[in-house]
Amino acid sequence: MLARAAEKLYWMARYLERAENTARLINSTTHVLLDLPLGASFGWTNLLEIVGLDDLFHQHYSQTDEEAIMRFLIEDARNPGSILSCVQYARENTRTLREVLPAEIWERTNGMYLYIKENATIACRSRRNRYMVLDTIIEQRHAIVGLISGTMGHDLAYQLIKLGRNIERADMTTRILDIGSAVRFPQDNVLKEALMERIWMSTLNSLSAYQNYRRLVNMHVHRNDVVNFLLCDDRLPRSVAHCLGEVESCLRLMPQSQQLQMNVTELSHRIVQGHAERLDAPALHEYMDWLQTKLGKINDALTQRYFHAYDNGMPPPAPDQAEIEFAEQ
Amino acid sequence: MFTMQKLVNNTMEITTSEYADSTAYDELLGTDLLPRPVAKPLLDYLNSLDHAELAARRQAVDATIKAMGITFTVYSEAGNIDRTWPFDPIPRVMARTEWARIQDGLKQRLTALNLFINDLYNEQHIVKDGVFPLEVLAGSGNFRPQCVGVTPRFGVWAHISGTDLVRDRDGTVYVLEDNLRVPSGVSYMLENRQIMKRIFPEVFRTTHILPVDDYPTQLFETLAALSPRPGDQPVIAVLTPGIYNSAYFEHSYLAQQMGAYLVEGSDLVVGSDDVVYMKSISGLQQVDVIYRRIDDGFLDPDAFRPDSTLGVRGLMRAWKSGKVGIANAPGAGVADDKVVYTFVPQIIRYYLDQDPIIDNVPSYLCMYDDQREHVLANLDKLVVKPANESGGYGMLIGERATQEERDQFAELIRANPRNYMAQPTLDISTAPTLVDGQLAPRHLDLRPFVLQSDRLYATTGGLTRVAMNKGSLVVNSSQGGGSKDTWIVQEEDS
């Protein structure tokens, strides 16, 4: 597998995952907003903070109403994380990967791009259209994932796609988990209780984890249980631990990956043993930041080891200290 | 006296007024505007569709092309790197018996041209024997001194070629141009058939249409035969200039169809052992054969243009030491010069001792005094072409030019006679093309592809390019050209 193609595959998967996650996040937030008591301060700007795009948004928009934020998250080409941008990047990558991907994947990705391009504007106009368009995007993305697992040879190219998908997914789960820290709770304790439950329910919903949670953990939504479930429960495909497990199994099939495998395993252990659910809101927020940095380091290690190993015309270096120690604090 | 004639019922209309004005040979219709025998099943089928049905199919074609993402790139449109491929759903039909003769002619021509190229870079017998003038060689912009003394495997230089054919008013098929450097278009030939099968599946039951889809396999085998490590499964790479190249779609398509790697220059390195390596995630991996889709000049900054960033430093060294096969071989373009073209009939006779099966368009060489005088005196009737350009650039169509343009061109010819040749303006053939729901005559050509290494193969048919604008003779996709599916059909036994 060509190093340049490997990088494009990996990013294609990340972009598609990001597009889907953003669509999910918007849809579930819309739902929770409808249920919120009037005194609550949770709003669309919190969403921007979660995905880490608040600064970029304020550079381009003076208004912070729902419509502006939707335009920014769905169709704004100036936002590299908007759904349209993500699908467009994924399509451009797929175009250059046609020799390693089944032909249908190109047609599907191209079709998804044509759809979002045509419908992004109406999706920003009303909540009803928005739900329908975003739901279609999620569906189309699932068709692509289905094609990948059902028609593609489970070779290195496949592992790279899986790697990209799971790193992006783990990253998004940590961001969504951070939702609680973005909410300013009202003084009233009764209101606060109700609001918290709503927020955590929405968190589970945006990860399609609510039903699983109720079945596997608890009928009642408790913050600590939710945090633990989303971080550590291997049965949930979007939990950080599960994603890291997938990353590890992909790495096992990649050349010269022993060190990186060990690092990922180590990180998984730390998460499971870390009892992050016992942290208070500010500490949890810091913990999520730390996790995101770690995921970033896995990304950097992949880039250095596989994608850009030859940038200086040199053979891939032996794992360096930074790579070896990346799982250390 | 023509009237609005209907072929059978009340459906497919032919724009008889345009046909009345046309003097060209039509590929599907006789002079009486009745279908030629090979085209009858097709036209009968088209007649069975009513207007609404045809319009729906036309829309389905456009939607399919969009969904399949069949595109070509236009340089001038910044930001918009792909445009959908213009496709006309009415196929061009040719009888298998006629095609068999053309196929023989193409194979004959390429065999001779490859012998010629190898001779030019080695002993130059053809020059010494006085058949090919040294001055033509001396003036060739595509002769590469870097290649002198090399004999690639099988003595073949042009492994993949595209030969442009046109049919004149009397039905004769001529070779208009040989493309021996990096001919493009074969992916569209293959995709056009896919589109037709998706949108008009019924029509494939009315006629026996020969399949075209063995090309990728043939191309793979042709390239594999060039591997310096015969016996192993060779590593084949398609070398592309990248996504902004007009033929990028084709580069990725062919790589996909062959299961080859699609690489850019920066993905490759040549080691001190003269082996070409690919930067893979498992380390450096040896590349055996490169199907390059970049011009000679950009291949290797050490050997050609030092400023090139598209190529690979040391590639010529690797090729000359036999560590990698390159198709087409560097320097193959020497025979794809419009002046060299005029010598092809003599080249065929010289190397093969045969008469050419397909004729050249009669041509005048400006380097000879008498022929130049004829050209200068008849500029208003001739098409003048420069030796080393392609894609219709730098050409004069005398009939359509102003006196001023012709005068300017006369100056160019006098200043550098070796660089120009001229041909009479041909009345190239038409085929019915769907324009606003009716069938109107549009001019077209045909580009078949020939492969040569350990084997010799010519495509079944080729890419039919059609000038979509009324009266236009320009079939290039960058200038309003489109394409059609090309059917070679088995005639009924009679």
Side-chain angles (χ1 to χ4, degrees):
Chain A
M1 154 100 4
L2 205 58
R4 186 174 45 84
E7 183 173 29
K8 297 216 165 192
L9 270 173
Y10 170 83
W11 278 103
M12 176 207 82
R14 289 200 68 160
Y15 287 132
L16 285 177
E17 179 72 24
R18 194 174 298 178
E20 182 191 334
N21 288 337
T22 306
R24 283 172 175 282
L25 196 55
I26 293 171
N27 271 354
S28 64
T29 308
T30 308
H31 274 272
V32 78
L33 282 182
L34 298 176
D35 292 339
L36 282 191
L38 290 172
S41 76
F42 182 78
W44 289 109
T45 43
N46 299 108
L47 207 57
L48 292 174
E49 287 162 28
I50 290 167
V51 289
L53 292 168
D54 41 337
D55 287 345
L56 185 66
F57 176 81
H58 293 298
Q59 278 172 33
H60 295 295
Y61 292 82
S62 47
Q63 293 251 319
T64 50
D65 56 15
E66 179 170 342
E67 201 193 320
I69 293 173
M70 286 306 113
R71 285 212 314 273
F72 179 72
L73 288 177
I74 295 173
E75 67 164 357
D76 198 329
R78 297 170 302 184
N79 171 11
S82 74
I83 295 177
L84 182 66
S85 295
C86 285
V87 175
Q88 192 175 348
Y89 297 146
R91 173 180 183 256
E92 286 311 317
N93 279 11
T94 312
R95 185 209 296 280
T96 66
L97 289 167
R98 293 177 58 158
E99 84 278 16
V100 291
L101 292 172
E104 300 97 314
I105 293 181
W106 158 250
E107 288 192 27
R108 289 283 179 166
T109 313
N110 185 41
M112 188 172 170
Y113 168 74
L114 295 171
Y115 176 81
I116 182 73
K117 200 168 162 239
E118 202 169 308
N119 292 285
T121 306
I122 70 152
C124 297
R125 222 174 278 147
S126 78
R127 282 185 175 182
R128 213 182 58 181
N129 289 337
R130 186 168 80 213
Y131 185 81
M132 186 198 73
V133 171
L134 296 184
D135 205 42
T136 309
I137 289 291
I138 294 168
E139 230 175 70
Q140 290 179 336
R141 203 272 160 146
H142 283 183
I144 293 170
V145 175
L147 266 175
I148 288 170
S149 72
T151 68
M152 213 177 144
H154 286 202
D155 52 7
L156 273 181
Y158 180 83
Q159 305 304 331
L160 284 155
I161 290 177
K162 223 169 116 182
L163 262 178
R165 182 196 304 151
N166 281 287
I167 289 188
E168 181 67 31
R169 191 173 281 179
D171 180 78
M172 186 57 98
T173 299
T174 64
R175 290 176 189 281
I176 291 177
L177 260 170
D178 215 8
I179 221 167
S181 65
V183 184
R184 253 67 71 196
F185 293 105
Q187 293 300 317
D188 184 327
N189 270 334
V190 181
L191 266 183
K192 184 178 169 181
E193 273 303 300
L195 177 57
M196 273 186 73
E197 189 165 344
R198 283 284 147 205
I199 296 283
W200 289 111
M201 213 189 270
S202 162
T203 306
L204 288 167
N205 259 326
S206 59
L207 294 166
S208 289
Y210 186 38
Q211 198 181 334
N212 281 315
Y213 174 89
R214 282 195 308 189
R215 197 160 55 83
L216 299 172
V217 183
N218 196 332
M219 278 306 289
H220 297 284
V221 179
H222 297 305
R223 182 252 196 200
N224 290 9
D225 288 345
V226 175
V227 170
N228 189 54
F229 186 57
L230 294 181
L231 278 180
C232 307
D233 201 315
D234 194 40
R235 296 169 297 183
L236 178 72
R238 288 174 184 275
S239 77
V240 175
H242 183 92
C243 292
L244 287 177
E246 294 286 287
V247 166
E248 202 192 320
S249 78
C250 295
L251 285 173
R252 230 175 279 140
L253 300 168
M254 303 269 293
Q256 298 150 25
S257 63
Q258 294 79 352
Q259 184 63 50
L260 202 47
Q261 282 174 47
M262 280 162 58
N263 294 346
V264 174
T265 313
E266 163 77 14
L267 180 60
S268 292
H269 288 160
R270 285 181 65 141
I271 292 169
V272 173
Q273 289 155 11
H275 295 291
E277 73 277 7
R278 296 177 193 160
L279 301 172
D280 64 8
L284 187 67
H285 173 67
E286 259 173 49
Y287 185 79
M288 292 305 155
D289 272 357
W290 173 80
L291 255 182
Q292 285 156 22
T293 313
K294 287 296 176 201
L295 292 168
K297 287 202 172 169
I298 299 179
N299 180 75
D300 295 346
L302 290 171
T303 305
Q304 206 188 355
R305 169 135 303 273
Y306 299 113
F307 309 150
H308 288 275
Y310 301 92
D311 277 4
N312 308 314
M314 304 294 286
D320 67 9
Q321 207 56 26
E323 192 180 324
I324 291 166
E325 288 177 0
F326 100 112
E328 310 299 316
Q329 176 63 49
Chain B
M1 175 66 190
F2 286 100
T3 55
M4 207 59 161
Q5 181 172 346
K6 279 137 196 176
L7 274 176
V8 181
N9 297 323
N10 189 21
T11 52
M12 199 51 157
E13 282 165 1
I14 292 175
T15 55
T16 43
S17 57
E18 281 195 37
Y19 265 102
D21 293 340
S22 174
T23 52
Y25 179 99
D26 192 88
E27 298 286 338
L28 303 194
L29 302 174
T31 44
D32 50 7
L33 290 193
L34 290 175
R36 295 184 187 277
V38 283
K40 191 158 188 316
L42 168 67
L43 289 163
D44 286 348
Y45 166 78
L46 290 173
N47 267 308
S48 71
L49 305 174
D50 61 24
H51 271 302
E53 181 66 33
L54 195 68
R57 301 283 178 106
R58 167 82 254 179
Q59 276 190 340
V61 164
D62 294 342
T64 303
I65 290 173
K66 212 173 157 190
M68 287 168 80
I70 307 171
T71 58
F72 69 99
T73 308
V74 179
Y75 285 110
S76 55
E77 291 173 46
N80 181 16
I81 61 166
D82 57 306
R83 252 205 218 165
T84 50
W85 177 244
F87 175 75
D88 178 70
I90 313 298
R92 180 240 198 104
V93 187
M94 195 184 275
R96 186 180 195 165
T97 43
E98 180 177 22
W99 181 248
R101 195 188 71 87
I102 292 176
Q103 228 168 2
D104 290 344
L106 292 167
K107 290 178 182 175
Q108 176 198 50
R109 194 172 175 100
L110 260 294
T111 305
L113 282 169
N114 272 312
L115 289 166
F116 170 69
I117 302 168
N118 203 48
D119 189 17
L120 282 189
Y121 285 115
N122 289 282
E123 283 82 13
Q124 304 196 338
H125 292 301
I126 195 168
V127 180
K128 289 171 189 153
D129 289 340
V131 177
F132 187 76
L134 189 61
E135 53 181 314
V136 173
L137 184 59
S140 169
N142 290 317
F143 182 81
R144 306 282 174 218
Q146 296 91 334
C147 300
V148 169
V150 178
T151 297
R153 282 195 99 140
F154 315 111
V156 173
W157 293 69
H159 310 92
I160 299 112
S161 68
T163 310
D164 291 346
L165 303 175
V166 291
R167 196 198 291 276
D168 199 13
R169 190 178 305 169
D170 64 0
T172 313
V173 171
Y174 292 105
V175 173
L176 185 66
E177 217 172 281
D178 299 292
N179 295 285
L180 305 177
R181 285 174 280 179
V182 280
S184 63
V186 77
S187 58
Y188 301 117
M189 170 188 97
L190 298 166
E191 291 286 62
N192 286 353
R193 178 61 55 87
Q194 290 301 316
I195 299 168
M196 287 304 288
K197 283 183 171 173
R198 279 199 198 190
I199 311 296
F200 296 95
E202 314 89 347
V203 72
F204 286 82
R205 267 185 247 129
T206 63
T207 319
H208 179 50
I209 304 157
L210 300 186
V212 295
D213 52 11
D214 63 337
Y215 182 83
T217 311
Q218 293 288 344
L219 177 60
F220 178 87
E221 299 290 347
T222 301
L223 294 170
L226 305 178
S227 170
R229 297 187 294 176
D232 293 345
Q233 177 78 358
V235 176
I236 297 178
V238 177
L239 176 60
T240 174
I243 193 161
Y244 295 102
N245 183 269
S246 60
Y248 185 80
F249 168 83
E250 176 155 307
H251 306 162
S252 63
Y253 179 89
L254 290 175
Q256 180 195 42
Q257 294 286 312
M258 289 192 289
Y261 294 94
L262 181 65
V263 303
E264 296 178 14
S266 60
D267 297 324
L268 302 178
V269 285
V270 180
S272 51
D273 53 1
D274 293 346
V275 170
V276 181
Y277 294 99
M278 187 172 81
K279 299 170 184 175
S280 87
I281 58 170
S282 338
L284 293 175
Q285 190 182 357
Q286 179 169 358
V287 177
D288 298 302
V289 184
I290 296 174
Y291 176 22
R292 52 100 173 204
R293 296 294 299 251
I294 65 182
D295 263 334
D296 285 354
F298 299 103
L299 271 182
D300 177 355
D302 278 351
F304 301 109
R305 296 176 54 154
D307 60 333
S308 168
T309 55
L310 299 176
V312 187
R313 199 171 287 284
L315 191 55
M316 280 297 281
R317 177 164 53 90
W319 177 65
K320 282 178 154 179
S321 61
K323 298 285 178 64
V324 69
I326 300 182
N328 288 350
V334 66
D336 151 338
D337 163 312
K338 305 273 185 314
V339 173
V340 174
Y341 159 89
T342 61
F343 287 91
V344 174
Q346 288 96 301
I347 289 171
I348 293 173
R349 286 189 195 97
Y350 179 78
Y351 292 104
L352 304 178
D353 197 20
Q354 295 170 358
D355 283 327
I357 299 172
I358 319 173
D359 286 326
N360 265 10
V361 178
S363 309
Y364 306 95
L365 278 182
C366 298
M367 58 187 275
Y368 297 125
D369 294 347
D370 52 336
Q371 298 188 27
R372 181 173 63 250
E373 287 318 310
H374 175 84
V375 171
L376 291 172
N378 292 284
L379 270 184
D380 56 337
K381 300 181 194 74
L382 297 171
V383 176
V384 187
K385 299 176 177 177
N388 296 319
E389 295 281 355
S390 62
Y393 292 102
M395 201 167 99
L396 176 86
I397 301 177
E399 211 176 60
R400 298 181 181 194
T402 64
Q403 186 58 44
E404 201 188 345
E405 287 168 329
R406 287 196 290 264
D407 291 346
Q408 277 173 1
F409 232 81
E411 283 311 307
L412 289 173
I413 293 170
R414 287 195 189 96
N416 186 5
R418 156 64 180 84
N419 196 40
Y420 291 96
M421 60 87 96
Q423 295 169 337
T425 315
L426 294 185
D427 192 5
I428 69 173
S429 65
T430 60
T433 299
L434 195 58
V435 179
D436 300 330
Q438 295 190 330
L439 296 183
R442 291 292 179 265
H443 296 289
L444 39 74
D445 74 354
L446 178 61
R447 175 178 287 185
F449 296 85
V450 182
L451 301 175
Q452 190 177 356
S453 62
D454 63 334
R455 71 198 53 229
L456 186 55
Y457 165 89
T459 47
T460 308
L463 176 67
T464 292
R465 298 185 298 175
V466 53
M468 302 297 267
N469 298 326
K470 185 180 174 185
S472 169
L473 297 171
V474 185
V475 297
N476 300 61
S477 52
S478 52
Q479 301 177 45
S483 77
K484 288 168 170 282
D485 192 15
T486 308
W487 291 0
I488 305 301
V489 300
Q490 178 75 55
E491 302 99 313
E492 302 291 317
D493 291 330
S494 52

